């Protein structure tokens, strides 16, 4: 994990995986949720459904170089609270 790059870890199926909010990941999330600004996305992120949380985690996994985990995420065991916390930490690390 590279904290200087804004990477955070999340335990999925008993293994640590890297999440990272890259510019590409941010753009993908904005597009998926139909947001046109960071402030709009910030408000939207406060009310994610479970399927949307999985979608965001998958995008952040891809940003962290974890393509295989991102593709299999919906079939993997993941704690929703830990996932939400990791997403928040990734956003905080990247945009403050």
């Amino acid at each position: 994990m590279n904290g200087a790059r804004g990477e955070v870890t999340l335990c999925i199926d008993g293994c640590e995986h890297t999440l990272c909010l890259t510019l590409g990941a941010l753009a993908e999330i904005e597009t998926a949720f139909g947001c046109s600004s960071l402030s709009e996305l910030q408000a939207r992120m406060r009310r994610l459904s479970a399927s949307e949380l999985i979608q965001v985690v998958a995008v952040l996994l891809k940003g962290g170089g974890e393509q295989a985990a991102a593709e299999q995420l919906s079939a993997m065991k993941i704690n929703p609270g830990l996932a939400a916390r990791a997403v928040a930490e990734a956003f905080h690390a990247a945009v403050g």
Side-chain angles (χ1 to χ4, degrees), residues 54-73:
I54 289 172
Q55 185 177 9
V56 172
V57 170
V59 170
L60 296 178
L61 282 166
K62 289 189 286 184
E66 301 263 2
Q67 183 69 36
E71 292 171 358
Q72 301 170 20
L73 187 61

Side-chain angles (χ1 to χ4, degrees), residues 29-66:
I29 294 166
E30 280 181 336
T31 299
F33 295 150
C35 297
S36 60
S37 68
L38 285 177
S39 61
E40 189 178 337
L41 180 61
Q42 182 181 27
R44 181 68 180 82
M45 293 292 290
R46 290 188 182 119
R47 53 183 173 86
L48 294 179
S49 68
S51 63
E52 291 168 335
L53 179 59
I54 289 172
Q55 185 177 9
V56 172
V57 170
V59 170
L60 296 178
L61 282 166
K62 289 189 286 184
E66 301 263 2

